[in-house]
Amino acid sequence: METAKRRKYIRMISFLTAVTLLFGVCAVVNAVKANKYRTLMLASSQRAISELCENLDSITVSLQKGLYSSSGPMLAEICEQLNRCSSCAKVSLGQLTNEDMVTDTIYKFLSQVGDFTSSVNKNAEENKPIGQKERESLGKLYEYSQSLSEGLGTVRDGCFDGSVSLEKASKLITSDADGESAYYVDSVNDAEQSLADYPTLIYDGPFADSVLERDAEMLKNENVITFSDARKKAAGYIGAKPTELKRESDENGKLSMYCFSKSGKTVAVTKKGGYLGYITNPDYSGIVSINEKEAVKRAKAYLDKIGYKNMKESYYSIYDGVCTVNLAYEADGITYYSDLIKVSVTLDKGEIAAVDARGYLMNHCYRNVSEPKITEKQARETLSDSLTFLNGKKAMIPTKYGGERLCYELHCKDGKNQEVLIYVDTETGEETDILLLLYSDNGVLTR
């Protein structure tokens, strides 16, 4: 009897132990699932905040360009961009729960942007110019957008590095810029760049994939060279011996090239004509010993040496000890931004680290340029009253649809010394593009 009771007791203890273990395992599994769910939610919210910041940054830039525009068609194009970014921003907001952040303020702002664009578009349909009231609204929207974009950018950075929780982010976004909020808003002004909407070197458009799908204008009448000749040319482009080059896989397509490598450096030569397509080098850094002016000088000298003549530097950027210079073809007083070559020069030894001449190869050709129907003086008369003219020149700029337009590039500044490039068509007198110039220790960029 005692033995039976003992066995019953042992079975009960074993059963309770098993149940306890089962509940423990279930608790662990549920905790893991909950943690995984929270991680996914956090990642989703962080992505939504990042996308929201990107679109608000774009809205700020578009509103600023609108302040400098004096043309109905140009304003209509800017409004199209504003509508697109506002819609994307609302989608990002929709992915954030109410616990993540209070979104009423941002929705109200996006609605005001929508009301403004509707007003401008209505005036455009009735052939009415934008009035003073609209310009005042535009200025207020820009100032608020700039503040909102800066604040959100700081909150986004805080969410990513863990210094700001999403719950705290809600209060920071909707509160006034004082106390702790002021710290986060001010800190963004000290950041080197926003993570979204990076500024770029002027007219990087020719390197877009759509352009590279066209036939290379410069190579149409060139003959195909042999592999042996290509290797000799490739060696010359990087200062090596032909025997030191290793053959890599060829690039075939509209811009077919032989590819070679040496010590991590890659050089591509066009099969037609044997022109340099590009050079890449993943290893270049050291103690800076030359400045950007010397880097620009060496970039121009290198291109002249290998046969790319009449190249004029436009803008440059400096990153990780390397100065990347944009150079465009210039002839008869016209800068052809489509014929663009990017050259990277190391600031330690002044060596050519990288080259990308594909934009030049795809676009360079003889142009039969018509005489302008308006003068530069007439183009200047179209400028907004908020701008002061500095200097001007003729420029052939690429369009969104693969064509080109001859314009007057009018370099201006506003009352706060923000420098702007306004492009006015030499035939129609219409504004075709607006770029904001950004000066920093890292170079001169546009957005």
Side-chain angles (χ1 to χ4, degrees):
M1 183 68 68
E2 289 293 331
T3 301
K5 287 182 177 180
R6 187 180 299 108
R7 289 175 179 173
K8 184 176 180 181
Y9 179 74
I10 291 173
R11 283 197 297 268
M12 185 177 297
I13 294 297
S14 299
F15 175 75
L16 291 174
T17 301
V19 170
T20 302
L21 288 173
L22 178 62
F23 276 115
V25 170
C26 289
V28 170
V29 170
N30 288 333
V32 170
K33 288 182 177 180
N35 185 60
K36 184 177 181 180
Y37 176 75
R38 284 194 296 271
T39 300
L40 290 173
M41 289 296 294
L42 176 61
S44 176
S45 296
Q46 287 177 333
R47 184 173 60 252
I49 292 174
S50 182
E51 291 172 352
L52 177 61
C53 286
E54 182 178 353
N55 286 300
L56 283 174
D57 239 7
S58 296
I59 288 172
T60 302
V61 171
S62 294
L63 289 170
Q64 187 175 9
K65 289 183 179 181
L67 290 172
Y68 307 133
S69 176
S70 61
S71 160
M74 188 75 246
L75 278 171
E77 186 175 328
I78 290 172
C79 287
E80 182 182 346
Q81 174 71 11
L82 285 171
N83 276 325
R84 184 162 54 249
C85 292
S86 295
S87 298
C88 291
K90 288 179 179 178
V91 171
S92 298
L93 277 175
Q95 295 172 351
L96 297 168
T97 64
N98 290 331
E99 289 76 17
D100 287 334
M101 63 172 57
V102 179
T103 59
D104 290 348
T105 302
I106 304 174
Y107 267 121
K108 181 179 179 180
F109 165 70
L110 295 176
S111 296
Q112 289 174 336
V113 171
D115 291 342
F116 170 77
T117 56
S118 296
S119 175
V120 172
N121 288 330
K122 183 178 180 181
N123 284 349
E125 291 175 1
E126 299 175 357
N127 293 320
K128 293 181 180 179
I130 183 172
Q132 185 60 31
K133 183 179 179 181
E134 285 87 353
R135 288 208 174 274
E136 290 176 359
S137 298
L138 180 59
K140 291 178 181 178
L141 285 174
Y142 165 65
E143 290 177 1
Y144 186 78
S145 180
Q146 189 177 36
S147 175
L148 183 61
S149 183
E150 288 177 350
L152 277 172
T154 304
V155 171
R156 170 204 55 207
D157 295 344
C159 287
F160 272 88
D161 64 25
S163 62
V164 180
S165 67
L166 289 172
E167 181 179 359
K168 193 175 184 180
S170 169
K171 299 176 182 178
L172 291 174
I173 290 169
T174 56
S175 62
D176 294 330
D178 56 11
E180 188 175 25
S181 298
Y183 166 76
Y184 286 105
V185 173
D186 290 342
S187 66
V188 80
N189 296 325
D190 298 327
E192 292 183 0
Q193 284 181 322
S194 170
L195 293 178
D197 195 22
Y198 279 114
T200 62
L201 288 167
I202 190 168
Y203 289 115
D204 276 344
F207 297 103
D209 292 337
S210 59
V211 174
L212 293 178
E213 289 300 316
R214 304 198 322 242
D215 291 326
E217 291 289 341
M218 184 175 171
L219 308 180
K220 283 184 176 180
N221 299 319
E222 297 287 345
N223 296 320
V224 176
I225 66 172
T226 65
F227 164 75
S228 178
D229 287 340
R231 185 165 63 174
K232 290 178 183 177
K233 286 181 174 291
Y237 292 141
I238 62 173
K241 296 178 181 179
T243 55
E244 295 176 330
L245 298 185
K246 176 185 176 182
R247 184 172 186 178
E248 302 293 343
S249 299
D250 295 351
E251 290 191 10
N252 296 307
K254 299 293 185 180
L255 193 59
S256 299
M257 293 185 282
Y258 296 107
C259 297
F260 306 89
S261 65
K262 178 183 182 295
S263 303
K265 180 178 290 188
T266 300
V267 55
V269 176
T270 61
K271 292 184 177 181
K272 284 188 173 183
Y275 296 97
L276 174 63
Y278 63 82
I279 296 173
T280 61
N281 183 7
D283 183 23
Y284 41 81
S285 62
I287 300 175
V288 173
S289 62
I290 67 171
N291 58 27
E292 63 275 10
K293 291 183 179 179
E294 179 63 23
V296 169
K297 181 180 177 181
R298 297 193 182 197
K300 291 178 67 176
Y302 175 78
L303 291 182
D304 190 69
K305 177 183 175 183
I306 65 173
Y308 290 115
K309 308 288 186 179
N310 302 318
M311 302 301 294
K312 175 69 174 177
E313 73 277 9
S314 54
Y315 303 96
Y316 68 89
S317 66
I318 297 174
Y319 179 75
D320 198 21
V322 178
C323 180
T324 299
V325 188
N326 265 21
L327 300 104
Y329 177 71
E330 188 175 81
D332 301 323
I334 301 174
T335 300
Y336 294 86
Y337 283 119
S338 296
D339 299 4
L340 184 68
I341 301 180
K342 299 170 72 173
V343 182
S344 297
V345 181
T346 62
L347 296 180
D348 55 356
K349 299 179 182 179
E351 297 176 344
I352 302 301
V355 179
D356 195 335
R358 288 174 290 181
Y360 184 95
L361 294 170
M362 296 303 295
N363 294 285
H364 184 64
C365 62
Y366 171 77
R367 279 100 161 175
N368 185 15
V369 181
S370 303
E371 284 295 319
K373 292 184 178 179
I374 66 169
T375 64
E376 182 183 302
K377 182 180 178 182
Q378 290 173 315
R380 288 163 54 181
E381 291 173 353
T382 68
L383 291 172
S384 168
D385 294 337
S386 63
L387 296 175
T388 300
F389 174 77
L390 299 177
N391 56 67
K393 67 177 182 180
K394 295 176 187 175
M396 188 74 75
I397 66 172
T399 65
K400 296 178 180 179
Y401 306 104
E404 294 179 318
R405 299 179 77 169
L406 181 62
C407 298
Y408 288 110
E409 180 184 87
L410 306 179
H411 185 190
C412 311
K413 69 176 181 179
D414 67 5
K416 297 180 180 179
N417 290 322
Q418 167 66 61
E419 294 186 32
V420 188
L421 297 178
I422 305 291
Y423 292 88
V424 179
D425 192 294
T426 60
E427 288 194 14
T428 64
E430 293 181 352
E431 289 178 344
T432 61
D433 205 351
I434 299 175
L435 296 176
L436 309 178
L437 285 176
L438 306 179
Y439 293 89
S440 72
D441 293 337
N442 291 328
V444 185
L445 303 170
T446 67
R447 69 190 303 181

